[in-house]
Structure formats: C-alpha cells, structure tokens
Amino acid sequence: MDHQGKDNGAVPVREKISYGLASGGGNIITQILGMFLTSYLTDSVGIAAAAVGTMMLVARFFDGASDIIMGGIIDKTKTRWGKARPWLLISAPFTLVSLILTFSVPASMSDAAKLVYAYLTYIFLNCICFTAYMVSHTALLSRMTLNGQERQKMASINQILNQAGGLAVTTFMVVLVAKFGWQMTAVIYGVIATVLIWIGFWGTRERLLDAAPEEGKKAGTVPLKEALPAMMRNKYFFLLTALFILILAQAAGPGSMTYYYCNVCLNNLGLLSFISACGIVPVVIINFFVPALTKRFGRRNCLLAGAFGNTLGFFLIGIGGNVLPVIIAGFIIKGLASGVLFACAFALAADVVDYGEWKTGIRSEGLINSCVSFGQKVGLGLGPAIASWIIAAGGYDGLAAVQTETAKHAIVFAFGYFGAILSALMLLAAFFMNIDKEAPTMREELEKKHHLS
C-alpha cells in the first residue's frame, strides 16, 4: 500500500469511478429487494402482505449478529489486496446465486412451505451474502484516503453511479419480468451486479498503513473484546446507525409501494419507471454539487437541509393522492434532498471510523462500518415491513381483482406520509451529527500516525 503524502490523499478518478461502479452493482440488489420483492411475494407467489412484512422484520435479528461478525472478519483480514477489497471479490458471486434463489419460489409448494422458503432465501441473501458486500464496500472508503474532501467526492460519484444502477432496475424491471419472468430477470440483474462489484475490487487500492507497533496496535490484530468496547465509546457510531436506518427506511418503505401505487391507484403500471426516474435523476444531478456544498456549509448543515427537503417532498406526495403533477413535484424535491442525504451519510461513515481511532486508539473499519450495513438493512427491512403492514391493515389482497377504497387510501399513506414521518425523524439525528467540528484535528493527528504526512 502506497504512502499519500505527495498527493495530499488524492484518489485517482478511475479509482473513484471503480468504487462507484461497485456501489451501482450493490444498488441493483437494493432496489430489487426494496421495490419488487414485496410485490413478487404477494402478487406472484401469493403470500399475504402482513406475512411478508413480518419476514423482513424477523430477518433484522439475524442482521445484527451477521454485521458485527463480518465487521470483525474484515478487521482481521490481512492480504496483499488489503482488508476490505477481497470481500468484494468473494461476496459478488454468492449474492448472484442467492438473488436467483430468492426469486425462484417453487409454485408447487404449499403456502406454508413457500413462506419458509422465502424466509430461508431472504436471510441467506440479505444477512450473509449481501452483508459481506455492504460492510466491505463501505469500509473500503475509509482505507483509500484520510482526505475528507476526497471522501466526499468519492461518496458523490458513488451516489451518481449508485442511482444509475437503481434507474436500470426501475426502468427495465417490469418489462423484463413480463418478457422473461422473475427468475430470469434475477439472473440478468444478478450477473450485471456481480461484474460491477468485481470492477470495484480490481479498480481500487487501499492506501492506509497500519500504525507502527510503537504507536499502537494494528487494526488487524485488535481482539474483538477490545474493539467492541471501543466502538461503544464512539458516540457517532450510534447516531450514524440511526441515520442509516431512517435514510434507508424512507427510501425502501415508500419505494416498495411504488408498484402498488401505480398499479392500483393510478391503474397504470407503465408509469412506474417514469415516476421512479423523477426521484432518481435529481439525485444524480445534485451529487455533482454536493462536494462544493459540503465544503462551504459543512456536512451537518447539508444533512439538516436534506432531511427537511425529504420531509417536504414526501408530504407533497401524500397530499397529492392521484394527482400526478403534485406527485412528480414531490419526487423531484425528495430526489434532490435524498441525493444530499446519501452522499453525506456515506462520507460521514469514514469520519466516524477516524473519530473512533482518534478517541480510543483503536481503528476498526470493519466494526464501525458494520453499523452502516446494519442500518441500511434494518431500514431496507423495517421500511417495507411497516409499509406492508399499513396496506395489510387497509385490507389489501394481492390476489384480488379489485382493491377496496380503504386499501387504496392505505397505499397512498404508505407511499407518502409514512416517508414524511421517517424524514422528520432524520432531522433529529442530523442535528446531533456534528462531527465536522472535530475533523481537522482528527485528520492532522491520524495522518502522522499512519505515515501520510
């Protein structure tokens, strides 16, 4: 691994793009799970919406353990490729196989067997295979550079390419499913995601050197019994976890209702890709400006603005009902705000790693970034779970030819107001996430420790 003193922690553009492409591959999986798994299990497999929501919530109990375990594994990994990068290489093909299995529920099974199958494949995909990808990809950012502005640029490029992956799903998923079926569509997207994640492995480098013995223990040799208490003393660890839970819950919960909203409330499933694009394209656009915005106003202030904008956007979606122009306006506002939220949150994850080492002397990319993975997956599970319970309470029946008015109102609530409630909670988490004030001192001291100055 190279020293960084001469280039002040600068990361080549090709590496930034490679890192972002891996994120795009991961977001293909995230979008499929967040937007289409619920509708697949309710409308195609015939599992009740409430049962699907419960399944997604139950899986979160496994996530807590798997994320911490994976974080500890990364911290102890020592290869010529680094600590985090090898797990991108390993996790990608397993994610591909598990995605295909998840969307291959045998039609011949009984209802009870289908639910058991759905539980097992979803837990295998989300809690094991995707955990290895998510924790390692997020941890990689903190090992590529200590330069905060470079990290923010990488996080913004990450979001641009991340959303490109999401747009590829929302634009073509319905068409591909209609032509090839759910299983073959999972194969197509899974292969694309695997290739993109592998590009992230081959196209990036880890630059941080472990501290010399006289300066402290190497991150790779810190026992879990020491790393865990150190992590618990990191106040920003808990705030970052809460922030990611809320960010992903507001994206995945209402997002999982897009299919139902277009199909039931608008009676036009063809609008799904257009409505989704109205939320995704603004994310791409705003991320060209996020590095400049954070440099001028700070990440915390940008987070606050993003949370407020998200609340406003979802509120418009809620009051819009079936008035398409109002829905579109809400999605555009929400998209701009979400772009800021995601880019700032991912860059902050690396800062939280630095803060932990600065305060405790123990650097733990794997364990700290496990909170990012855990937060994302709790959000990905909790958001759709609550949204599913909302429409189930409204009487939604996936096999019914016509839905009741109560079910339609429940879909609108889950699609709009539910997101506004979650976004309002993000304001509170963002208010206390004021790590900006400590960043300059942290970087100066850690650069000396890691021989980067």
Side-chain angles (χ1 to χ4, degrees):
M1 290 181 283
D2 296 338
H3 293 206
Q4 293 180 359
K6 293 181 180 180
D7 59 6
N8 196 31
V11 177
V13 173
R14 62 177 177 78
E15 289 193 45
K16 293 173 181 172
I17 293 174
S18 296
Y19 182 80
L21 287 172
S23 180
N27 198 38
I28 287 176
I29 308 299
T30 299
Q31 287 293 324
I32 291 174
L33 294 181
M35 290 193 67
F36 295 101
L37 180 59
T38 300
S39 56
Y40 164 69
L41 293 176
T42 58
D43 293 13
S44 296
V45 179
I47 299 174
V52 174
T54 301
M55 177 193 77
M56 292 182 172
L57 186 61
V58 168
R60 306 289 72 82
F61 292 102
F62 293 93
D63 272 332
S66 66
D67 285 322
I68 291 176
I69 291 171
M70 190 64 221
I73 290 173
I74 289 174
D75 284 337
K76 292 183 178 297
T77 298
K78 295 185 69 175
T79 72
R80 63 189 179 94
W81 297 307
K83 294 177 178 291
R85 283 179 61 215
W87 294 102
L88 295 181
L89 180 68
I90 296 169
S91 63
F94 285 98
T95 301
L96 164 62
V97 172
S98 58
L99 179 69
I100 297 170
L101 291 174
T102 300
F103 283 89
S104 301
V105 181
S108 59
M109 283 184 169
S110 66
D111 290 343
K114 287 179 180 178
L115 185 59
V116 171
Y117 180 95
Y119 264 86
L120 292 176
T121 53
Y122 181 69
I123 289 172
F124 178 58
L125 167 59
N126 198 64
C127 303
I128 300 175
C129 305
F130 205 51
T131 288
Y133 157 76
M134 292 181 80
V135 177
S136 60
H137 182 262
T138 309
L140 179 58
L141 178 61
S142 62
R143 293 197 62 82
M144 291 176 70
T145 181
L146 285 174
N147 187 315
Q149 197 58 22
E150 283 293 284
R151 286 174 173 175
Q152 188 62 67
K153 290 176 182 177
M154 289 179 66
S156 293
I157 292 174
N158 184 65
Q159 280 306 300
I160 292 170
L161 297 175
N162 188 304
Q163 295 305 314
L167 190 59
V169 173
T170 57
T171 301
F172 302 111
M173 186 81 177
V174 173
V175 176
L176 290 174
V177 169
K179 187 170 183 177
F180 300 112
W182 286 101
Q183 186 182 67
M184 184 52 64
T185 300
V187 172
I188 294 170
Y189 278 119
V191 169
I192 294 171
T194 298
V195 172
L196 292 174
I197 293 171
W198 276 347
I199 290 174
F201 165 75
W202 291 111
T204 59
R205 299 171 67 185
E206 294 185 21
R207 289 172 171 77
L208 261 68
L209 297 172
D210 290 322
E214 66 272 15
E215 294 176 294
K217 295 179 180 179
K218 293 184 179 181
T221 63
V222 176
L224 192 61
K225 65 180 181 181
E226 294 182 24
L228 273 175
M231 181 180 71
M232 292 301 175
R233 296 199 300 272
N234 188 336
K235 62 182 179 181
Y236 292 117
F237 165 81
F238 299 100
L239 285 170
L240 189 68
T241 302
L243 195 61
F244 268 101
I245 290 174
L246 291 168
I247 289 176
L248 269 296
Q250 60 83 29
S256 69
M257 296 294 104
T258 310
Y259 177 93
Y260 300 102
Y261 178 78
C262 294
N263 194 39
V264 176
C265 299
L266 297 182
N267 294 310
N268 188 350
L269 194 56
L271 285 172
L272 186 147
S273 60
F274 172 70
I275 289 177
S276 298
C278 289
I280 291 174
V281 173
V283 175
V284 174
I285 294 173
I286 194 64
N287 267 285
F288 286 102
F289 305 98
V290 169
L293 291 172
T294 57
K295 186 175 183 179
R296 179 168 183 177
F297 300 108
R299 289 200 189 103
R300 180 201 181 211
N301 291 334
C302 287
L303 277 173
L304 288 169
F308 176 79
N310 234 39
T311 307
L312 176 61
F314 272 118
F315 182 75
L316 286 176
I317 293 170
I319 66 174
N322 60 355
V323 181
L324 192 58
V326 179
I327 298 297
I328 298 305
F331 261 78
I332 291 173
I333 294 172
K334 179 180 74 69
L336 292 170
S338 293
V340 175
L341 284 170
F342 274 97
C344 289
F346 276 104
L348 278 170
D351 289 347
V352 172
V353 172
D354 293 346
Y355 179 84
E357 182 182 13
W358 182 54
K359 281 294 185 181
T360 68
I362 296 175
R363 186 173 187 86
S364 179
E365 286 97 348
L367 278 179
I368 295 295
N369 282 290
S370 71
C371 79
V372 176
S373 174
F374 177 72
Q376 287 186 84
K377 288 187 294 179
V378 168
L380 284 171
L382 190 61
I386 296 175
S388 298
W389 293 334
I390 290 172
I391 65 173
Y396 179 82
D397 182 355
L399 299 180
V402 179
Q403 302 296 331
T404 65
E405 287 300 313
T406 304
K408 292 179 181 178
H409 288 312
I411 291 171
V412 171
F413 182 88
F415 190 53
Y417 293 119
F418 175 46
I421 293 170
L422 293 171
S423 299
L425 292 174
M426 276 193 288
L427 276 168
L428 184 62
F431 178 80
F432 291 102
M433 196 72 187
N434 194 18
I435 199 171
D436 289 353
K437 63 182 181 181
E438 325 220 49
T441 304
M442 283 192 308
R443 184 187 173 199
E444 181 181 354
E445 294 183 13
L446 292 178
E447 280 182 337
K448 294 178 181 178
K449 181 176 180 179
H450 291 280
H451 316 294
L452 302 179
S453 59

